């Protein structure tokens, strides 16, 4: 699939505001890829498709995820917000015939992150967090850190997400903690 075809597919799948967010994520991801490297084409494609499943029915997404065997444990209790990332990867493979594991993995981890993210995954994860339309607390700090390194930016994004969720006493997906720890260890070893 060509990038322009992917743009058309998400324009159809998403309301305008979400489509505009998607385009800003793609632009931000492009900037990060030119600064930090990675497969720029894969990064672009993953950024364009990252929220493809955002407006699907949570029950259907959960079924899709459970059927895939992607997780050995039940992820239902972590809430519906994280489902679109995992389901998105499964659905772009199924519906849009995307086969690149680099692209699929970057879509799957864009919400929760995970330990051991590839360069491309880190870029999409961070771009989603710092695109210019993001005004929540922590976005500016993550933007600032991302000028220093990709990992420093990801650390801010993980830390703020954990703060946000724990502040609301919401469950936090283990991948987010694992990603946070990896980036925190890295930061410590640099001091
Ligand atoms: O899809 P976007 O809005 O562009 O951004 P996103 O994919 O990062 O989703 C953000 C939402 O996901 C936000 O409401 C917080 C939620 N979220 C992120 N990580 C976790 C989480 N929710 C739970 N319960 N656990 C997580 O680890
Ligand atoms: Fe998302
Ligand atoms: Fe997004």
């Amino acid at each position: 699939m060509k990038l322009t075809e992917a743009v058309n597919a998400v324009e159809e799948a998403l309301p305008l505001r979400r489509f505009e967010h998607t385009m800003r994520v793609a632009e931000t991801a492009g900037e990060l890829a030119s600064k930090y490297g990675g497969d720029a084409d894969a990064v672009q494609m993953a950024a364009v498709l990252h929220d493809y499943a955002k407006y699907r029915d949570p029950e259907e997404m959960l079924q899709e995820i459970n059927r895939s065997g992607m997780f050995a444990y039940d992820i239902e209790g972590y809430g519906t917000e994280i489902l679109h990332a995992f389901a998105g990867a499964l659905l772009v493979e199924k519906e849009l015939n995307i086969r690149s594991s680099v692209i699929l993995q970057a879509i799957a981890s864009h919400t929760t992150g995970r330990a051991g993210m590839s360069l491309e995954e880190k870029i999409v994860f961070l771009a989603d967090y710092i695109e210019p339309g993001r005004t929540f607390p922590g976005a500016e700090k993550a933007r600032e850190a991302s000028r220093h390194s990709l990992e420093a930016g990801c650390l801010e994004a993980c830390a703020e997400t954990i703060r946000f969720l724990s502040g609301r006493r919401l469950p936090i997906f283990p991948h987010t903690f694992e990603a946070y720890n990896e980036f925190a260890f890295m930061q410590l070893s640099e001091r």
Side-chain angles (χ1 to χ4, degrees), residues 18 21 50-52 54 81 84-85 107 110-111 128 134:
R18 178 63 49 177
H21 156 73
H50 83 281
D51 277 338
Y52 179 73
K54 186 85 178 176
E81 274 297 329
H84 75 282
I107 297 169
H110 88 265
T111 303
D128 187 32
R134 299 295 208 188

Side-chain angles (χ1 to χ4, degrees), residues 106-171:
I107 297 169
S109 60
H110 88 265
T111 303
T112 61
R114 67 179 184 103
M117 284 198 282
S118 67
L119 200 47
E120 291 82 2
E121 285 176 88
K122 289 177 197 168
I123 288 171
V124 174
F125 175 74
L126 187 55
D128 187 32
Y129 204 80
I130 67 170
E131 62 92 348
R134 299 295 208 188
T135 54
F136 45 68
E140 188 50 42
K141 219 171 161 199
R143 246 172 236 131
E144 181 58 42
S146 71
R147 285 190 270 278
H148 177 67
S149 78
L150 216 42
E151 290 72 23
C154 288
L155 176 61
E156 288 305 318
C158 291
E160 179 59 26
T161 297
I162 290 168
R163 199 195 60 78
F164 170 84
L165 293 167
S166 63
R168 283 162 183 69
R169 304 296 183 262
L170 289 168

Side-chain angles (χ1 to χ4, degrees), residues 28-86:
T28 304
E31 291 163 11
L32 290 171
S34 56
K35 186 167 161 70
Y36 294 115
D39 179 338
D41 291 337
V43 162
Q44 277 303 303
M45 190 57 118
V48 165
L49 295 173
H50 83 281
D51 277 338
Y52 179 73
K54 186 85 178 176
Y55 297 89
R56 298 296 179 104
D57 175 43
E59 271 310 313
E60 279 169 30
M61 290 195 282
L62 198 57
Q63 271 178 27
E64 195 73 30
I65 292 163
N66 287 339
R67 248 202 313 268
S68 76
M70 196 181 250
F71 296 103
Y73 51 95
D74 190 6
I75 70 162
E76 185 170 8
Y78 293 100
T80 56
E81 274 297 329
I82 65 171
L83 300 177
H84 75 282
F86 308 126

Side-chain angles (χ1 to χ4, degrees), residues 39 42 97-106:
D39 179 338
N97 219 14
I98 302 292
R99 288 289 151 79
S100 153
S101 57
V102 177
I103 296 170
L104 297 175
Q105 190 56 249

